[in-house]
Amino acid sequence: MDDSRLVSVNGVSYTEAPAELSEPADDPFTGPIRDIAPWNFTVLAVLMFVVTTLSLGENFIVMFVTFKFKQLRQPLNYIIVNLAIADFLVSLTGGVISFLTNTRGYFFLGKWACVVEGFAVTYFGIVALWSLTVLSFERFFVICRPLGNIRLRGKHASLGLLFVWSFSFIWTFPPVLGWNSYTVSKIGTTCEPNWYATNAIDQSYILTFFATCFILPLGVIIFCYGKLIQKLRKVSHGRLATARKPERQVTRMVVVMIVAFMVGWTPYAAFSILVTACPTIYLDPRLAAIPAFFSKTAAVYNPIIYVFMNKQFRKCLIQHFTGMGIIPESNMNPTSDRPGMTAESQTGGEMSAIAARVPAAAHNTSPKSEDPPSDCSTFAQLPIPENKVCPM
């Protein structure tokens, strides 16, 4: 039925369009939501294009270089590569879809795609978050050695990966089954858990999700890195200031890691708790979208913090793309390299150098010669002497 009508104004007649055709639709699956100018979606689309492109590129490089160089494929590296995979998948699903939907101004892909996107982004995002947590625990395990001389092996790292993916699935799949739900956000171009649910069952999921996927990992990270800093101070006590450079660098790295975790995830966690506690609160859709979009930026700076700031990984990366760093065999005597691993050569693997000194500091005994630092080799921890290359 045609709802248009003929209107005469000052003797001029024209046909007035139906109200539903002249105004944006209320349903974000059929058209842009009301009261949001199109330029807002253009800004979000550009932002998501930049973030997604950087994230996909950085994390692909991490996976490619790790696959390329055998030296980097060590047990503690498993979780770092896992982090890169999770961040890559977050950008591949959430980043690409958010870019497409913001170019149109609404979630034109439909409700089923909203559920898939909401689950995928939440699942891979929590996998990345728990990867950071397990990484902090593994560093605590390697440096502080709470179980004595038990070292991190491949089976331990594999169990860590199994835990991360299984635990994350347990707490992100329930909305698909009906405990809460995945729905379109207030901005109308991305999907997420229904933070605005008012019934007790759905709110119980949000509170449980918040406790298991933010409070718990944050507590583990703070505990592990706090113990690590404490151990570094104990080991470096009484040493000359010039010899404490590796410890200072690791301490700064730890602080950056914790701050990055808080910056990426605290706004989103605070937002979810706020709207769960006050589901009737009114927030401007643009303001409500900031925490979700901001959390996606973690996929960009995670590789920079955990990989690209590492000297060993950088050397392998430069060698692959430029061919530089190849040294004659006569200069690759491992015995001659070992005495030089006290100053500059330590800066690329501060943590393993410290780990080698922990037993001496803790028990006032020298490390045994049959206990080489290579047992804990990792591009996050193991130093490569300046005159060595990255074997493939």
Side-chain angles (χ1 to χ4, degrees):
M1 179 178 179
D2 188 2
D3 294 330
S4 61
R5 54 188 180 137
L6 189 66
V7 179
S8 179
V9 179
N10 295 329
V12 178
S13 300
Y14 68 96
T15 301
E16 186 181 62
E20 63 268 22
L21 299 179
S22 60
E23 296 181 352
D26 289 323
D27 185 0
F29 295 108
T30 59
I33 60 176
R34 298 174 183 270
D35 303 326
I36 297 184
W39 67 265
N40 291 278
F41 298 109
T42 303
V43 170
L44 288 177
V46 172
L47 250 160
M48 290 312 304
F49 177 80
V50 173
V51 170
T52 302
T53 302
L54 289 175
S55 174
L56 291 176
E58 290 176 0
N59 288 288
F60 177 79
I61 290 175
V62 173
M63 294 183 288
F64 176 77
V65 174
T66 305
F67 173 80
K68 183 80 173 179
F69 294 98
K70 185 177 180 180
Q71 182 77 6
L72 303 180
R73 300 197 293 270
Q74 302 295 333
L76 189 53
N77 297 346
Y78 294 176
I79 198 68
I80 298 179
V81 176
N82 188 73
L83 173 63
I85 293 174
D87 285 338
F88 184 86
L89 292 174
V90 166
S91 298
L92 191 63
T93 54
V96 172
I97 291 178
S98 293
F99 167 71
L100 295 175
T101 54
N102 278 289
T103 58
R104 298 282 294 272
Y106 66 101
F107 207 93
F108 65 93
L109 298 174
K111 295 183 179 180
W112 68 269
C114 178
V115 175
V116 172
E117 192 252 358
F119 166 72
V121 172
T122 305
Y123 181 41
F124 297 137
I126 298 304
V127 167
L129 191 153
W130 268 103
S131 295
L132 301 179
T133 307
V134 172
L135 179 60
S136 69
F137 177 78
E138 288 181 345
R139 288 181 169 179
F140 162 76
F141 183 85
V142 170
I143 301 301
C144 298
R145 298 183 181 177
L147 300 180
N149 290 328
I150 297 179
R151 300 304 185 97
L152 182 69
R153 306 295 183 186
K155 62 179 181 180
H156 302 140
S158 299
L159 287 175
L161 298 181
L162 179 63
F163 167 79
V164 166
W165 288 91
S166 301
F167 190 83
S168 300
F169 183 83
I170 289 173
W171 295 113
T172 54
F173 194 71
V176 178
L177 302 178
W179 189 18
N180 202 278
S181 62
Y182 288 111
T183 185
V184 70
S185 63
K186 290 295 183 180
I187 196 70
T189 55
T190 186
C191 294
E192 60 189 6
N194 186 8
W195 310 118
Y196 295 89
T198 56
N199 62 77
I201 295 179
D202 289 344
Q203 287 186 334
S204 67
Y205 169 79
I206 298 300
L207 295 176
T208 305
F209 182 80
F210 178 77
T212 57
C213 297
F214 182 76
I215 294 295
L216 182 57
L218 178 61
V220 173
I221 287 176
I222 292 177
F223 171 80
C224 292
Y225 284 141
K227 288 292 185 179
L228 179 59
I229 292 178
Q230 185 180 10
K231 177 64 68 174
L232 297 181
R233 289 178 177 176
K234 182 178 179 180
V235 171
S236 62
H237 180 69
R239 300 175 61 210
L240 295 176
T242 56
R244 297 176 61 184
K245 183 179 178 181
E247 285 82 351
R248 292 198 303 271
Q249 289 180 338
V250 172
T251 302
R252 286 196 297 268
M253 181 71 73
V254 167
V255 172
V256 170
M257 290 172 181
I258 296 178
V259 170
F261 180 94
M262 297 293 294
V263 168
W265 291 101
T266 299
Y268 196 52
F271 166 78
S272 64
I273 289 299
L274 173 64
V275 297
T276 300
C278 306
T280 58
I281 188 174
Y282 173 77
L283 294 174
D284 187 282
R286 293 164 294 185
L287 178 64
I290 292 177
F293 281 94
F294 192 70
S295 65
K296 292 184 175 67
T297 62
V300 175
Y301 56 73
N302 278 339
I304 296 175
I305 295 173
Y306 290 91
V307 177
F308 292 109
M309 292 179 66
N310 176 265
K311 191 172 185 180
Q312 180 177 353
F313 183 87
R314 290 202 310 269
K315 288 173 69 69
C316 294
L317 185 65
I318 292 172
Q319 178 180 325
H320 172 72
F321 286 103
T322 66
M324 298 175 61
I326 299 178
I327 306 298
E329 291 294 331
S330 59
N331 293 335
M332 294 182 63
N333 186 348
T335 305
S336 63
D337 295 333
R338 198 169 284 246
M341 293 171 58
T342 56
E344 185 179 0
S345 64
Q346 281 184 333
T347 62
E350 299 87 353
M351 298 185 73
S352 72
I354 296 166
R357 292 193 295 269
V358 167
H363 307 293
N364 294 322
T365 59
S366 300
K368 296 180 181 180
S369 58
E370 63 269 19
D371 189 22
S374 60
D375 289 347
C376 300
S377 60
T378 165
F379 65 71
Q381 296 186 356
L382 180 64
I384 288 185
E386 291 300 312
N387 62 343
K388 280 186 174 287
V389 297
C390 298
M392 297 185 186

